[in-house]
Amino acid sequence: MPGSTKGKTRQQVADASQLLLVLGGDGTLLAAAHLAAPRGIPILPINMGSLGFLTSLLSMNFTLPSKDTLAGRFSSANA
């Protein structure tokens, strides 16, 4: 249907999240941080590019989150 969308807006995703897994580079991380900060949502950034100063994990080193992380037992940099 014209005018209909599938999926959710960034704000809707942030509102429904307890942790944001951000795949991309520094620009993607900054956009996610803009949404996450006022909501107090921690971010796990995964660098998908070749250059990134803010993203902490490289995609080649990423493994699935631990059971502790998925259960909500994680620490944020601000805690």
Side-chain angles (χ1 to χ4, degrees):
M1 296 172 109
S4 67
T5 60
K6 294 181 182 179
K8 298 182 184 235
T9 66
R10 292 177 181 184
Q11 291 80 11
Q12 290 171 322
V13 170
D15 287 338
S17 298
Q18 295 178 348
L19 171 71
L20 292 180
L21 179 64
V22 179
L23 306 173
D26 290 349
T28 306
L29 174 59
L30 290 171
H34 180 74
L35 293 171
R39 293 166 175 85
I41 303 170
I43 297 174
L44 178 60
I46 308 295
N47 186 356
M48 299 297 288
S50 59
L51 180 65
F53 297 101
L54 301 174
T55 51
S56 60
L57 298 174
L58 298 174
S59 60
M60 68 181 90
N61 297 332
F62 179 69
T63 58
L64 292 175
S66 70
K67 289 181 181 180
D68 286 334
T69 300
L70 294 175
R73 293 184 296 268
F74 48 84
S75 63
S76 68
N78 297 346

